[in-house]
Amino acid sequence: MLLIVGPPTISLGHNKKASIMKKVLIFTSIMSSISLACYGADDLFDEGLWELSPEELGQIRVTSIASGTPTPLDKAAAVATVITAEDIEKMGATELDDVLETVPGLHVNKSFQAYFAKYTFRGISGSTYNPQALLLINGTPLTTLAIGNRYTIWGGMPVKSISRIEVIRGPGSALYGADAFAGVINVITKTARDIEGTQVGAGAGSFDTYSSWVSHGSKSGDLEIGVTLEYTDTKGQDGTIEEDQQSAFDTLSGLNDSHAPGEVNLGRQQAEAHLDVKYKEFNLRAGYQGRYHVQTGAGVAQALDPEGEYKSNRALIELLHTNKDWFKDWEISSQISYFFGEQDPTSTSVIFPTTFGGAFPDRVLAEPGYKEEHVRVQVSSIFKGFDQHIVRAGLGYFWGDVFETTELKNFLQDPDGNLVPNPGGFEEFADKDEVWLPEKDRTSHFVFVQDEWQFSENWLLTSGLRYDHYSDFGDTSNPRVALVWATTDTVTTKLLYGRAFRAPSFLELFAISNPVSLGNPNLDPETIDSYEFAVSYQPNNDLSLSGNIFYYQIHDFIQFVDNKAENAGKRKGRGFEIEASYRFNESLTASGNYAYQRSTDEDTNTDVGDAPNHQIYGKLGYDFSKDFFLTTQINWIGKQERIDGDERDPVSSYATVDLAVKRRNFVPGLDLSLSIRNLFDKDGFEPSPGPAAAIPGDLPLPGRNIYGEIAYNF
């Protein structure tokens, strides 16, 4: 599919010396890489591919997320989106979530807990924790075993280290395993080639936001080193929660303990570090994400808490090796990685700011925490010895351990789930039966095979199957089939099928004595089957149009019902997405997309809610010169229905308009930029959980905010 931001892609018609599908096979043969990182335009030019000019090559959009091998976007075996660092720069985005909101069919909802981002693909909204969306960094999952998401203390991700973002809308378990359920997001960080030199910069903006960064890339012989360091400190937006869970308690008891009306608490500090070292056939990558003094948003239990704070530390190191010379027609790649993550309180969370009539003299307090570590080993191969085939196969092993689960608290829960005072007061429950989550581990191993077969001049069939075995859930097999037809010189047609599987997280299975979420050891895994039909049309290098329709069925979807995890039954969804891009001249470009979805519960035939049925995005960019550009964009989110049993009116639609301007080399080496988000200061809200509606007025989004940057390049 075509890009929704930036210039149109190059047309790959028959006039380029070979059939369209033949070029796709040549392209993927040249560019195959287990690392899921794409070559730049200069690398393609060095290969002499199609004898295109460097300028033309620079406009080719390539994705590797769809099949594991880089492929022109409109020929990829999935409905995919690619966003580059240049696109991010031009839209003035400072956070990953700002970028993802431009992807058709993907909406960034907010959780009440620390405003954790929920990546909602095609109406698959999931629970508070959003485990159905898989986030990769350089192809390695950032999923926690404990909760199943990217850590509740996610805190966002700044963008200075990002080279490109690739997104699949739809299941990806045939390549990425059981967590690639509703969609896959792969964030590819910058290498030495992307950075080329040294840049230092600083920024400041609304909500007392301050940031700084430094990046450096260098090459000496066969050694390439790229490093990016970023730091941000912000108080977060100042939206107001009018009523919360404590407000309801106050109404019943006649007390006045709630902090509502009050500001949502979104202060945080964050540090980001990424290192990429390449030497011949070896690639060492390391990353660190630190989040400190992260406030609790609308509260851990939907009661405003200006006191609670948490920290999260995540570190990943991986070594990759790729060899093309060991065997004829074979490329062998291997990867080993180690991940460590922790989430701990730095200030006691006030779960409920009341004594409940003296039962809790110090209010209801808790300090939950945990650590976990993962080891992944994978070997993959690409065989190109068959005529008209590229065969990819691999196997791997995963071990994960959740350990040192800790919890200081002054409450317990009775069999009916009601909070009762702990006889020992505020005490540590680590290694006790009442700790919020017991320590657990999980292992799995997998094997997969995929074939890309050009069985006719303009037809390419990609088929694959992945088998996973889990130590606690047994076996799962997930197939995928993608038929791509170069219908004419300007039209490409796709027919896609995929299945995905998701094992419950440890929190969904084992959480106990928890006022927010209780586990259920009898849960079954979730499964989804998805069907898609897509068409893209590109008559020239200035105009691109595309569209797709989709249908999916979900079995055993996991939700929290009355705070307890349950397999909520069957869901089905359908919808379509349309994208367009047009270049009026060398300076002016426009792009946009529209997405519609309806996801329903098959038992009640009602909308599952908590996701917009309609989304519209549009962008207009004007380049005064290669170093001076202005971009404006509009993002309209349609109304969001409530979940079954929630009697509130739907969440109203809202629209935001953003403006960004950048001047590179204002003086030699000095760059200046300014962005304004929500230019017209429009109100917007994301749904608070129902059906009890502890926060009846929903979760407010930021008003108008301004951010400026200055950077110097050495």
Side-chain angles (χ1 to χ4, degrees):
M1 305 304 293
L2 47 102
L3 184 72
I4 61 170
V5 289
T9 56
I10 287 290
S11 175
L12 302 180
H14 291 289
N15 60 336
K16 293 295 183 183
K17 296 187 176 181
S19 75
I20 296 174
M21 301 314 294
K22 183 67 174 178
K23 290 173 197 173
V24 173
L25 289 176
I26 295 172
F27 190 93
T28 55
S29 296
I30 293 173
M31 298 184 65
S32 297
S33 172
I34 182 61
S35 68
L36 299 180
C38 298
Y39 285 53
D42 291 341
D43 300 288
L44 296 177
F45 187 66
D46 291 341
E47 297 285 356
L49 184 63
W50 308 324
E51 299 181 0
L52 298 178
S53 70
E55 290 76 16
E56 290 177 310
L57 285 167
Q59 296 182 58
I60 296 176
R61 297 291 173 170
V62 178
T63 180
S64 50
I65 195 173
S67 62
T69 53
T71 308
L73 190 59
D74 63 337
K75 306 302 184 293
V79 175
T81 299
V82 175
I83 303 172
T84 67
E86 182 180 3
D87 302 325
I88 296 171
E89 180 184 37
K90 286 193 171 184
M91 70 174 69
T94 59
E95 286 282 344
L96 173 65
D97 297 346
D98 297 335
V99 181
L100 295 179
E101 191 65 77
T102 70
V103 177
L106 171 57
H107 177 53
V108 183
N109 289 96
K110 298 296 182 182
S111 166
F112 62 88
Q113 294 186 343
Y115 266 41
F116 167 79
K118 297 168 60 178
Y119 301 140
T120 302
F121 285 91
R122 295 173 170 176
I124 304 175
S125 57
S127 67
T128 296
Y129 306 102
N130 187 226
Q132 288 82 14
L134 177 63
L135 178 66
L136 311 170
I137 295 184
N138 297 316
T140 299
L142 203 65
T143 306
T144 73
L145 277 178
I147 302 176
N149 57 16
R150 285 78 56 193
Y151 281 81
T152 304
I153 311 303
W154 167 236
M157 181 176 178
V159 298
K160 297 302 181 185
S161 63
I162 297 176
S163 172
R164 58 195 287 115
I165 302 167
E166 302 184 1
V167 181
I168 287 178
R169 287 108 72 188
S173 286
L175 272 182
Y176 300 104
D179 295 318
F181 191 82
V184 182
I185 303 163
N186 188 27
V187 177
I188 300 169
T189 57
K190 291 179 179 178
T191 67
R193 297 188 186 191
D194 298 313
I195 300 171
E196 294 184 348
T198 302
Q199 182 183 81
V200 295
S206 303
F207 315 128
D208 290 337
T209 299
Y210 303 94
S211 65
S212 58
W213 73 92
V214 59
S215 60
H216 174 76
S218 62
K219 181 177 180 180
S220 177
D222 293 323
L223 180 65
E224 300 178 30
I225 299 176
V227 61
T228 304
L229 306 173
E230 302 176 73
Y231 180 79
T232 302
D233 188 335
T234 181
K235 288 186 177 179
Q237 62 139 312
D238 54 3
T240 299
I241 300 290
E242 297 293 341
E243 297 179 68
D244 64 1
Q245 180 69 76
Q246 185 60 50
S247 301
F249 295 157
D250 289 352
T251 299
L252 294 173
S253 63
L255 300 174
N256 188 29
D257 292 332
S258 174
H259 292 288
E263 292 183 0
V264 63
N265 302 293
L266 291 174
R268 70 181 186 275
Q269 298 168 354
Q270 58 189 48
E272 194 95 5
H274 293 278
L275 172 69
D276 186 279
V277 180
K278 292 182 179 178
Y279 181 74
K280 294 184 178 180
E281 298 173 343
F282 291 91
N283 188 187
L284 174 69
R285 294 194 294 236
Y288 169 76
Q289 295 178 315
R291 307 293 184 259
Y292 323 108
H293 302 291
V294 179
Q295 295 182 302
T296 60
V300 172
Q302 301 187 72
L304 286 175
D305 170 21
E307 300 179 32
E309 293 182 351
Y310 286 80
K311 70 174 182 180
S312 173
N313 290 292
R314 304 182 289 269
L316 173 67
I317 184 168
E318 52 189 341
L319 179 65
L320 304 95
H321 177 263
T322 302
N323 190 286
K324 302 179 181 180
D325 302 323
W326 286 349
F327 305 101
K328 182 181 178 181
D329 298 322
W330 284 90
E331 177 180 314
I332 309 294
S333 300
S334 56
Q335 177 179 358
I336 183 170
S337 66
Y338 172 79
F339 171 83
F340 170 81
E342 66 173 349
Q343 186 167 297
D344 288 304
T346 53
S347 181
T348 303
S349 289
V350 181
I351 306 301
F352 296 112
T354 181
T355 66
F356 283 110
F360 297 89
D362 297 321
R363 302 166 298 175
V364 182
L365 308 175
E367 292 185 9
Y370 70 96
K371 295 180 175 63
E372 68 176 273
E373 56 186 350
H374 307 164
V375 174
R376 299 176 188 271
V377 181
Q378 177 173 322
V379 178
S380 178
S381 65
I382 300 173
F383 180 67
K384 293 169 279 190
F386 296 133
D387 187 31
Q388 306 299 327
H389 287 267
I390 296 177
V391 179
R392 181 182 179 85
L395 52 87
Y397 172 81
F398 167 81
W399 169 81
D401 183 29
V402 175
F403 63 102
E404 291 189 23
T405 56
T406 61
E407 186 176 27
L408 281 161
K409 62 183 176 182
N410 64 350
F411 63 87
L412 299 173
Q413 285 184 282
D414 65 19
D416 295 325
N418 299 311
L419 296 185
V420 296
N422 175 43
F426 190 64
E427 66 173 317
E428 176 62 70
F429 279 83
D431 300 322
K432 295 183 180 181
D433 291 340
E434 296 87 356
V435 71
W436 73 282
L437 186 68
E439 297 178 0
K440 298 283 184 179
D441 62 23
R442 174 182 286 173
T443 62
S444 66
H445 56 266
F446 70 86
V447 59
F448 76 90
V449 62
Q450 175 182 275
D451 177 45
E452 296 173 80
W453 174 30
Q454 185 194 355
F455 61 89
S456 183
E457 183 180 38
N458 291 325
W459 291 84
L460 183 66
L461 178 66
T462 300
S463 55
L465 177 68
R466 173 163 164 155
Y467 167 82
D468 290 77
H469 176 79
Y470 283 76
S471 59
D472 50 354
F473 273 97
D475 304 333
T476 175
S477 296
N478 294 285
R480 59 92 61 98
V481 179
L483 182 62
V484 180
W485 176 31
T487 315
T488 70
D489 289 357
T490 59
V491 177
T492 300
T493 306
K494 304 179 188 180
L495 189 61
L496 312 170
Y497 165 74
R499 176 181 295 169
F501 163 99
R502 189 184 74 82
S505 68
F506 288 172
L507 179 137
E508 292 168 327
L509 289 167
F510 307 119
I512 55 178
S513 193
N514 188 316
V516 180
S517 307
L518 295 175
N520 180 357
N522 298 315
L523 288 177
D524 293 321
E526 299 175 333
T527 59
I528 183 173
D529 290 276
S530 179
Y531 308 83
E532 301 177 70
F533 174 76
V535 177
S536 62
Y537 170 64
Q538 187 171 349
N540 52 56
N541 293 339
D542 295 325
L543 174 64
S544 295
L545 301 171
S546 67
N548 66 82
I549 59 175
F550 62 85
Y551 174 79
Y552 61 77
Q553 289 184 312
I554 300 175
H555 296 270
D556 297 315
F557 195 75
I558 298 173
Q559 282 187 296
F560 285 90
V561 180
D562 295 328
N563 288 349
K564 184 176 181 180
E566 300 284 356
N567 289 113
K570 297 181 180 180
R571 288 184 171 188
K572 60 182 178 182
R574 63 186 184 276
F576 62 90
E577 296 146 359
I578 300 172
E579 303 173 72
S581 179
Y582 185 67
R583 181 169 54 195
F584 296 91
N585 51 49
E586 292 300 318
S587 299
L588 184 63
T589 59
S591 59
N593 61 69
Y594 167 75
Y596 166 79
Q597 67 80 23
R598 178 168 171 78
S599 181
T600 58
D601 186 301
E602 291 197 42
D603 293 330
T604 63
N605 199 34
T606 58
D607 195 300
V608 299
D610 287 356
N613 296 114
H614 304 268
Q615 294 174 253
I616 298 175
Y617 171 76
K619 183 178 77 74
L620 188 67
Y622 188 81
D623 294 349
F624 298 96
S625 68
K626 68 176 183 178
D627 289 332
F628 186 21
F629 46 82
L630 173 71
T631 303
T632 184
Q633 59 184 12
I634 182 171
N635 200 14
W636 180 81
I637 304 300
K639 71 177 183 180
Q640 302 183 56
E641 299 290 344
R642 303 293 185 177
I643 68 171
D644 188 38
D646 190 334
E647 300 301 324
R648 291 177 292 172
D649 291 335
V651 182
S652 298
S653 62
Y654 65 88
T656 57
V657 175
D658 305 328
L659 188 68
V661 61
K662 180 157 188 173
R663 180 67 165 90
R664 298 193 190 107
N665 292 311
F666 182 76
V667 296
L670 185 68
D671 301 341
L672 301 175
S673 62
L674 178 71
S675 63
I676 306 175
R677 308 195 74 81
N678 196 359
L679 177 65
F680 299 109
D681 200 25
K682 296 296 184 179
D683 291 336
F685 295 86
E686 288 299 324
S688 61
I695 301 177
D698 295 308
L699 306 175
L701 297 177
R704 181 190 300 115
N705 56 98
I706 302 173
Y707 178 79
E709 289 183 343
I710 182 170
Y712 189 76
N713 303 281
F714 296 92

